């Protein structure tokens, strides 16, 4: 079904390389002006998905619509409405930063009368003024990534694809990149990004899809995904095994005798946590340490992709 209200709409997308199935029937729907994160480990199929959505790679079956246009039929028109910043920067190291942006504008067939203005605007916008006349090859990773995004925005795309935009960046450059992405989304650009970082998806994305071995194993807002795992618990540590057993008899939960800890499920609600602790205090059970654990996207990811289980078995 065509969905003209979506910036991206993918149904039952399959892609194989020889006998290897890389995308095994994925569905995606991305609302215009939103930030969508495709989250997955190395080899999950993220770049393959991005390359298909950006017309760089053909697919075997399924339907793909980008900016309201079906692929592969409308590949040319789609290319005029999108931009891609790849996992590896598409920068010419010998040219200066400014020359790189100008070249991108020329390649995008911007009218020559508008090129100078657009180049100046982007250099300023991405805080590249102080490095504009330096060879791009001498720029730091974070600055090069900003230059790369500036170049991909010359033609004001409706949908911007970012394949692992912060992989390999230092923490400060990562924060700057997040800011850039938020600003673009606030201006109405639809951002489709891939990431291996759960925190990044949590902080940036309106919706997240978890890709594992070519299948979407979960999709939703970061909060919806966190609600999928019953990760919330109160962790209590004791100094002796009798204390641990006493506490478990009072509160239930799961004990780990090797660490003398007890995990009691809770939604983290203050009255509930207070009631648990009061029950121990009333029986004078000494607690060495306690802490509250809220589910994170990490829990979701590990639970859904089975990595947690694999880890357990390999230990
Ligand atoms: N051109 C290709 N030929 C054969 N296999 C490929 C090709 N491109 C990617 N793959 C395989 O597809 C899987 C997914 O790759 P990719 O989409 O790059 O994953 P990700 O970007 O999530 O790390 C990997 O197992 C990879 O080896
Ligand atoms: Mg990749």
């Amino acid at each position: 079904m065509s969905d003209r209200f979506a910036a991206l709409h993918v149904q039952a997308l399959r892609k194989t390389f020889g006998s290897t199935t890389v995308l095994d029937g994925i569905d995606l729907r991305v609302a215009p002006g939103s930030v969508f994160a495709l989250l997955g480990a190395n080899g999950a199929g993220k770049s393959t998905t991005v390359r298909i959505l950006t017309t760089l790679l053909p697919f075997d079956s399924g339907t793909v619509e980008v900016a309201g246009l079906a692929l592969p039929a409308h590949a040319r028109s789609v290319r005029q409405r999108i931009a891609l910043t790849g996992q590896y920067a598409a920068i010419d190291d010998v040219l200066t930063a400014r020359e790189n942006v100008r070249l991108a504008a020329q390649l995008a067939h911007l009218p020559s009368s508008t090129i100078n203005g657009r180049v100046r605007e982007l250099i300023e916008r991405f805080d590249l003024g102080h490095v504009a006349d330096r060879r791009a090859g001498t720029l730091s990773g974070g600055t090069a990534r900003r230059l790369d995004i500036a170049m991909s925005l010359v033609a004001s795309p409706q949908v911007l694809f970012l394949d692992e935009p912060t992989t390999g960046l230092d923490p400060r450059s990562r924060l700057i990149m997040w800011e850039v992405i938020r600003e673009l989304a606030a201006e109405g650009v639809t951002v489709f990004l891939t990431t291996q970082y759960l925190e990044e998806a949590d902080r940036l994305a309106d919706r997240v899809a978890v890709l594992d071995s070519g299948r979407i194993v979960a999709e939703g807002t970061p909060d919806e995904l966190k609600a999928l795992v019953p990760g919330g618990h109160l962790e209590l540590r004791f100094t002796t095994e009798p204390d641990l057993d006493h506490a478990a008899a009072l509160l239930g939960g799961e004990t780990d005798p090797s660490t003398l800890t007890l995990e009691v499920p809770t939604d983290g609600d203050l009255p509930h946590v207070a009631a648990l602790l009061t029950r121990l205090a009333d029986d004078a059970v000494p607690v060495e340490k306690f802490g509250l654990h809220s589910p994170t996207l990490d829990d979701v990811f590990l639970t859904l992709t089975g990595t947690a289980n694999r880890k357990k078995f390999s230990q």
Side-chain angles (χ1 to χ4, degrees), residues 17-18 20-23 40-49 51 57 87 163-164 194 196 211:
F17 288 111
T20 314
T21 300
V22 175
L23 297 179
N42 248 330
K46 302 182 297 296
S47 294
T48 301
T49 305
R51 290 174 65 207
L57 196 67
Q87 201 169 349
D163 194 4
E164 298 199 26
T194 72
Q196 301 191 37
L211 185 65

Side-chain angles (χ1 to χ4, degrees), residues 250-261:
L250 286 172
L251 307 179
E254 221 176 292
T255 59
D256 183 347
S258 69
T259 56
L260 296 176
T261 55

Side-chain angles (χ1 to χ4, degrees), residues 38-60:
L38 187 62
L39 180 65
N42 248 330
K46 302 182 297 296
S47 294
T48 301
T49 305
V50 168
R51 290 174 65 207
I52 289 171
L53 296 178
T54 54
T55 78
L56 298 175
L57 196 67
F59 50 97
D60 299 348

Side-chain angles (χ1 to χ4, degrees), residues 283-298:
D283 258 32
V285 185
V287 179
E288 191 195 36
K289 218 174 148 185
F290 66 90
L292 202 55
H293 177 92
S294 312
T296 65
L297 270 187
D298 274 294

